[in-house]
Amino acid sequence: MKYTKVTLIILLALGTQSPAQAADLVDIYRAAQNQDAVFASARAAQQAGMEKLIQGRSLLLPSVTFNANTTSNDVTINYGTASPIFVSGGMRYNTHGYGVNLVQPLFREQNWAAYNQSELQVAISEAQFKLAEQDVIMRSAQTYFDVLIAQDTVQLTAAQKTAIAEQLDQAKSNFEVGSATVTDTYEAQARFDLIVAQELAAASNLEIKRRTLQKLINAEVNQLNVLSGAFKLETPDPTDVQKWVAVSQQGNFQIVQAEAAYQLAEQEVARSRGGDMPTVDLVASYGSSTATGGVFGAMDTRSTAIGVQLNVPLFQGGAIQSRWREAESNREKAKQDLESTRRNIELQTRQAYLGVVSGIAQVQALQQALKSSESLLEASKLGHEVGVRTNLDVLNAQQQLFSTKRDLFQAQYSYLVSQLRLKAAAGNLAEADLISVNQSLH
């Protein structure tokens, strides 16, 4: 695989990181732009789609063909069959020739419709590429935060394992001196065995998420920037979800693509209708032929012709009418697909908007829950020391604290992704939005 200079710089930076040089979200996105196979495929498809316009325009322009030939001829002429004396004998000679033919369409309804279709095919390919550009942003962010939450889970599980191990040691010590029952030991041991299994699962999940990131950028990343303490929650602007829906109905590239596909189907109806219409072409030709040998010796022939040619289709076995009906059915299908896309985008926009709004409320609630869980754990430990709380109460408080931390991290990442998803639904997601999210990392 060949790398551009920019790609090499990014990959070298990602592969030689130190703790102070951790990759951020923008680094991952730019590496994905250059290395993601899905995005590279979309780029190639867009370049191929641009050729449709040239192909459509060619149907309106003249076509010129050149032909050449060389022929060896052996001719025998018989003036009668009664007797061989009436056979004149044979002629052997060679002919060489070439010709140039030109056809300039003057009136071809199908060709004009095909040209209009080529413009729409280009519009579709451009909309598909815009979707791919937004998709690589979303996949970069989602993959990045998937790694972060997997890292957080590993760290939280390790911390929880340490805390449970301390409780297990304490329960065993208390049991040995007779200040606790064996049940406390069993409870702590059961929690410890469970967290060991969870730790293994978390490590495996982290490895999978890292490999997914590696697949995206075609490079290994040693360390990623994490969410900073200055993380801010911002409500959508505008705050009216209906305005977001209105914007998405005009700017979402899935709708743009579906609208172009509907117009393309309409042009196909026009092209099919033109199948039984006459065509008028300007035709011109020039030919030269040379014969050598034979009875008359060498002979040169040259011809030039120019004229207007009319073709009127009369009957083609019903194929034209069948293609017309097929095109009309496909137009109805495209119309319904467009309506379905509009409804889906409205739903996606509302979901993304609610994801941001409810994400803010969820993060704030979990931040408060974290404080409460920390207080509960401290109270449970103190209560256990004075004998009013059991070892199980402490274990439950620890479990609640770590679960709340994990839920808070997940809610924060989901909120950031929902911000990008809302912009994508509206059709205006760009690198600047990713840079804005990246400012929350350090």
Side-chain angles (χ1 to χ4, degrees):
M1 180 180 293
K2 295 182 179 180
Y3 299 119
T4 64
K5 183 177 180 181
V6 174
T7 304
L8 285 173
I9 292 174
I10 293 174
L11 294 179
L12 288 173
L14 293 175
T16 58
Q17 299 163 347
S18 67
Q21 297 174 325
D24 63 16
L25 182 54
V26 174
D27 293 332
I28 296 301
Y29 163 65
R30 289 174 179 167
Q33 272 190 315
N34 288 280
Q35 290 301 307
D36 178 49
V38 175
F39 185 64
S41 174
R43 186 187 297 113
Q46 188 256 354
Q47 293 170 351
M50 297 299 293
E51 299 299 325
K52 293 294 185 181
L53 184 60
I54 299 175
Q55 296 170 19
R57 188 185 300 123
S58 69
L59 298 175
L60 307 178
L61 299 177
S63 62
V64 182
T65 59
F66 172 82
N67 61 80
N69 65 83
T70 179
T71 308
S72 176
N73 302 275
D74 189 350
V75 180
T76 300
I77 302 175
N78 295 326
Y79 293 97
T81 58
S83 172
I85 63 172
F86 292 99
V87 178
S88 66
M91 291 187 296
R92 293 182 179 179
Y93 61 95
N94 296 327
T95 56
H96 313 282
Y98 65 90
V100 178
N101 299 302
L102 178 144
V103 178
Q104 169 62 60
L106 299 179
F107 176 78
R108 289 196 180 188
E109 185 69 19
Q110 286 181 305
N111 288 15
W112 277 104
Y115 173 67
N116 293 333
Q117 284 182 312
S118 69
E119 293 181 322
L120 293 168
Q121 288 170 329
V122 170
I124 290 174
S125 67
E126 290 177 343
Q128 290 173 336
F129 184 65
K130 290 295 184 180
L131 285 172
E133 287 182 323
Q134 293 188 344
D135 178 65
V136 76
I137 292 176
M138 290 303 307
R139 287 188 293 114
S140 297
Q142 188 65 65
T143 305
Y144 187 97
F145 290 127
D146 283 346
V147 174
L148 290 190
I149 190 59
Q151 287 180 171
D152 292 337
T153 303
V154 168
Q155 294 169 1
L156 289 172
T157 304
Q160 189 174 3
K161 178 183 175 182
T162 301
I164 293 175
E166 292 175 356
Q167 288 299 122
L168 178 58
D169 291 339
Q170 184 178 359
K172 289 180 178 179
S173 298
N174 291 339
F175 175 70
E176 290 175 358
V177 299
S179 60
T181 65
V182 71
T183 302
D184 291 339
T185 303
Y186 289 156
E187 288 171 347
Q189 185 65 55
R191 292 295 180 92
F192 183 81
D193 294 339
L194 179 60
I195 200 64
V196 168
Q198 292 175 349
E199 185 179 39
L200 293 173
S204 176
N205 183 60
L206 175 58
E207 178 65 17
I208 292 173
K209 299 305 182 185
R210 284 189 173 277
R211 293 305 174 188
T212 303
L213 180 60
Q214 179 183 353
K215 171 179 173 289
L216 178 68
I217 64 174
N218 196 29
E220 291 191 16
V221 181
N222 299 325
Q223 189 172 349
L224 298 175
N225 282 349
V226 298
L227 206 59
S228 66
F231 174 69
K232 295 182 180 180
L233 300 172
E234 298 178 353
T235 57
D237 183 22
T239 57
D240 185 3
V241 64
Q242 197 58 43
K243 292 182 179 179
W244 283 98
V245 172
V247 172
S248 69
Q249 292 296 308
Q250 297 297 324
N252 186 277
F253 289 107
Q254 291 185 45
I255 294 179
V256 172
Q257 179 183 341
E259 286 177 338
Y262 174 63
Q263 294 174 14
L264 183 65
E266 285 191 322
Q267 289 298 323
E268 182 62 22
V269 172
R271 194 171 75 90
S272 300
R273 186 185 300 117
D276 58 357
M277 296 183 67
T279 62
V280 181
D281 300 322
L282 172 68
V283 295
S285 64
Y286 171 81
S288 175
S289 177
T290 301
T292 59
V295 177
F296 302 102
M299 182 174 60
D300 292 335
T301 303
R302 290 179 174 82
S303 64
T304 302
I306 186 169
V308 176
Q309 181 175 296
L310 171 69
N311 291 296
V312 181
L314 297 179
F315 180 69
Q316 296 183 12
I320 294 177
Q321 290 75 14
S322 176
R323 284 193 289 268
W324 188 358
R325 293 191 296 269
E326 178 188 15
E328 289 182 328
S329 296
N330 285 331
R331 178 179 60 182
E332 181 62 24
K333 175 183 180 299
K335 179 180 179 181
Q336 297 305 323
D337 288 343
L338 173 59
E339 180 61 24
S340 176
T341 302
R342 289 188 180 279
R343 295 177 186 180
N344 287 336
I345 294 306
E346 179 179 353
L347 178 59
Q348 291 175 17
T349 304
R350 293 183 183 277
Q351 288 176 332
Y353 180 87
L354 291 175
V356 176
V357 174
S358 64
I360 293 174
Q362 188 176 14
V363 169
Q364 292 173 338
L366 287 169
Q367 287 173 341
Q368 184 60 44
L370 180 61
K371 296 178 182 179
S372 300
S373 297
E374 290 172 344
S375 300
L376 174 62
L377 179 59
E378 292 299 322
S380 297
K381 287 181 177 179
L382 180 60
H384 183 252
E385 291 175 1
V386 299
V388 296
R389 284 285 186 266
T390 65
N391 190 54
L392 179 60
D393 293 330
V394 176
L395 292 172
N396 287 337
Q398 288 175 341
Q399 176 67 41
Q400 180 174 324
L401 174 61
F402 289 114
S403 295
T404 303
K405 284 184 177 180
R406 184 184 64 249
D407 292 344
L408 176 58
F409 291 149
Q410 181 67 68
Q412 290 173 335
Y413 300 143
S414 297
Y415 161 75
L416 293 174
V417 172
S418 294
Q419 278 189 318
L420 298 176
R421 191 170 286 120
L422 179 58
K423 292 292 186 67
N428 52 23
L429 177 63
E431 183 177 344
D433 300 302
L434 202 68
I435 293 175
S436 178
V437 171
N438 192 58
Q439 293 174 354
S440 301
L441 306 170
H442 70 90

